[in-house]
Amino acid sequence: MAPALPSPCVPGTRWWRDDPAEGTEPDYRFTLANERTFLAWIRTSLGLLAGGVAVRQLVEPFGVTGSRTALALLAIGASVVLAAGGYVRWVTVQRAVRRGEPLPAAPLVPLSALVLVVIGVTAFVLVVTE
Amino acid sequence: MSERDEGMANERTALAWWRTALAAVVAAGLIVRGAAGTVEAVVLGAIAAAALAVVLVVALGRARALTAQNRAAPAALTTVPVAAALLVLQVVALIVVL
């Protein structure tokens, strides 16, 4: 009889949290490296959050009406996506490490690059066309 | 855990927590400053301050545990409250901006 394929999640566990009972306890350095990566995503998210609020509060209005608010909302929205994605990434990597499986793909990296390019280009256009 | 921490993983992680706490202070400060002119300034400021306090308490506790090479607190007990506190800050920021 062929061995059963590993299920995406052990019955009784929840996808949104790390379960220490799942798999085996990994080398503490892997756990800490994953924790540092999570914190790096959180700091990126905090930076976007602060930037969004600062654009709305500290920057002089641009020539286009509502553009300052739109730019702030774009940054804060990106902050939400990166924070949520960073947490999901932490859980999935921790689970993969516990199971001894390959690390999952990281779609958050190109996504964050794309978002930052959009925010940067938008800010550039607004500043230049003022 | 061995006596000798190859690569100083504990120390680097503790420093990462301090950097995150500092970033949270800056972000929360800007949010509170932005909320100052609104009608709900006190409520928004209090919520932002509470979220910041959660981040600081978790960061301080985790950094101290890591520096003492004590892994008593599982990472899940630190990542979840920090992510939740950040979500609260984001909601307050949205209210301030809008």
Side-chain angles (χ1 to χ4, degrees), chain A residues 8-26:
Chain A
C9 190
V10 174
T13 64
R14 293 178 171 83
W15 67 266
W16 48 267
R17 69 178 177 92
D18 171 44
D19 186 359
E22 188 178 359
T24 57
E25 183 66 22

Side-chain angles (χ1 to χ4, degrees), chain B:
Chain B
M1 183 183 305
S2 64
E3 286 292 319
R4 186 177 176 191
D5 181 12
E6 300 285 356
M8 311 290 272
N10 280 28
E11 196 170 327
R12 281 185 287 132
T13 310
L15 288 170
W17 274 105
W18 282 118
R19 287 196 299 275
T20 306
L22 282 172
V25 168
V26 172
L30 279 169
I31 291 169
V32 169
R33 184 185 187 279
T38 63
V39 179
E40 314 89 356
V42 176
V43 176
L44 293 178
I47 294 172
L52 175 62
V54 168
V55 175
L56 292 179
V57 166
V58 170
L60 177 65
R62 185 65 170 163
R64 285 186 64 181
L66 288 167
T67 307
Q69 299 205 340
N70 171 12
R71 297 173 60 215
L77 296 180
T78 59
T79 54
V80 173
V82 166
L86 179 52
L87 179 63
V88 171
L89 283 176
Q90 288 162 340
V91 171
V92 174
L94 275 175
I95 295 171
V96 168
V97 166
L98 292 174

Side-chain angles (χ1 to χ4, degrees), chain A residues 10-85:
Chain A
V10 174
T13 64
R14 293 178 171 83
W15 67 266
W16 48 267
R17 69 178 177 92
D18 171 44
D19 186 359
E22 188 178 359
T24 57
E25 183 66 22
D27 186 323
Y28 76 99
R29 286 169 295 191
F30 295 153
T31 301
L32 293 181
N34 191 24
E35 189 174 334
R36 288 195 298 276
T37 307
F38 165 75
L39 291 174
W41 282 115
I42 292 296
R43 286 196 300 277
T44 307
S45 174
L46 280 167
L48 281 166
L49 182 65
V53 176
V55 162
R56 185 69 180 84
Q57 300 295 327
L58 305 177
V59 175
E60 294 289 319
F62 296 112
V64 183
T65 308
S67 57
R68 213 172 37 152
T69 303
L71 194 59
L73 289 177
L74 192 59
I76 295 171
S79 168
V80 174
V81 170
L82 292 195

